Amino acid sequence: MVEAWYMDESSEDQRKPHRLQPNRPVSTAELQRLGVSSWKLDADNHETDPELERIRRERNYSWMDIITIRKDTLPNYEEKIKMFYEEHLHLDDEIRYVLDGSGYFDVRDKNEQWIRIAMEKGDLITLPAGIYHRFTLDEKNYVKAMRLFVGEPVWTPYNRPADHFEAREKYVLSLTQLG
Ligand code: KMT
Ligand code: NI
């Protein structure tokens, strides 16, 4: 299962783990209550994996591409790294599947605390529309990920504050129902 923990408040390098002392782990059940779903899949066989096929079919993840985030291969690397780490939301789910390398998705819990989700090879995650989040590489500085989408992708990030969007209002309401 995907590993997650509450972050410390330190402003040092975003690529470090930023665990509290002592560590405060966050279970997948707690993530689920924030609307965050995750699966562990066989990344080496992503081209033929029936489980990935099933998830894509059931959730209508019809569109996909593969992005490699590494200094020497991603155009406008520094700019994108900065953009990914600005706290933002989207009007659609953000769905990512790590095929190689690793990185962190940070999401806000119900009390506005940051939870850090360690994404490693084989981890597939969906962040619900309207959740405030951000992404960073870790100290290995490399991730290769499948980006999935329901229909034609719209990647627009809305940096916080973005509370007036219907997707945000719906998300906040869903929190009271997810428990
Ligand atoms: C995003 O939208 O934050 C990205 O695509 C980068 C992370 S992909 C693991
Ligand atoms: Ni995003």
Side-chain angles (χ1 to χ4, degrees):
M1 281 297 109
V2 83
E3 194 196 354
W5 55 84
Y6 277 101
M7 288 184 77
D8 68 20
E9 304 266 306
S10 137
S11 59
E12 73 171 331
D13 189 351
Q14 69 190 52
R15 289 173 164 86
K16 290 190 182 290
H18 287 271
R19 288 177 193 268
L20 290 170
Q21 296 251 13
N23 188 41
R24 273 190 65 199
V26 177
S27 68
T28 49
E30 287 171 86
L31 292 177
Q32 195 65 60
R33 284 194 287 275
L34 297 174
V36 175
S37 300
S38 62
W39 297 262
K40 191 66 148 182
L41 300 177
D42 179 7
D44 286 328
N45 292 313
H46 69 270
E47 286 177 15
T48 53
D49 181 12
E51 206 184 339
L52 177 62
E53 272 311 302
R54 182 183 55 78
I55 294 167
R56 290 187 63 182
R57 192 174 52 244
E58 286 178 5
R59 304 175 74 104
N60 296 316
Y61 297 162
S62 52
W63 190 96
M64 74 92 150
D65 75 355
I66 291 173
I67 183 173
T68 299
I69 306 178
R70 178 158 50 192
K71 200 179 192 115
D72 54 356
T73 55
L74 187 70
N76 304 318
Y77 172 85
E78 300 292 351
E79 191 185 312
K80 280 180 189 153
I81 291 291
K82 209 179 256 176
M83 205 178 78
F84 290 148
Y85 204 60
E86 291 284 333
E87 182 174 3
H88 64 272
L89 59 73
H90 307 280
L91 307 187
D92 303 279
D93 292 359
E94 179 163 332
I95 310 144
R96 297 290 185 272
Y97 177 21
V98 173
L99 301 177
D100 198 15
S102 50
Y104 299 125
F105 275 108
D106 300 336
V107 298
R108 292 280 192 190
D109 81 350
K110 290 174 193 175
N111 303 315
E112 301 284 344
Q113 301 302 301
W114 280 118
I115 294 171
R116 176 149 278 193
I117 305 168
M119 295 285 294
E120 310 218 311
K121 183 173 174 175
D123 290 327
L124 167 61
I125 199 169
T126 68
L127 306 180
I131 193 173
Y132 283 122
H133 67 278
R134 63 190 181 190
F135 174 80
T136 182
L137 290 175
D138 61 22
E139 290 168 290
K140 295 183 204 123
N141 288 312
Y142 163 63
V143 74
K144 178 179 170 188
M146 186 184 291
R147 305 191 292 182
L148 296 134
F149 209 88
V150 178
E152 280 306 300
V154 183
W155 305 120
T156 318
Y158 296 97
N159 287 348
R160 193 168 188 171
D163 294 329
H164 59 288
F165 287 106
E166 193 185 343
R168 177 66 189 169
E169 289 172 5
K170 273 194 182 155
Y171 175 67
V172 171
L173 193 63
S174 79
L175 286 178
T176 62
Q177 285 143 11
L178 288 164

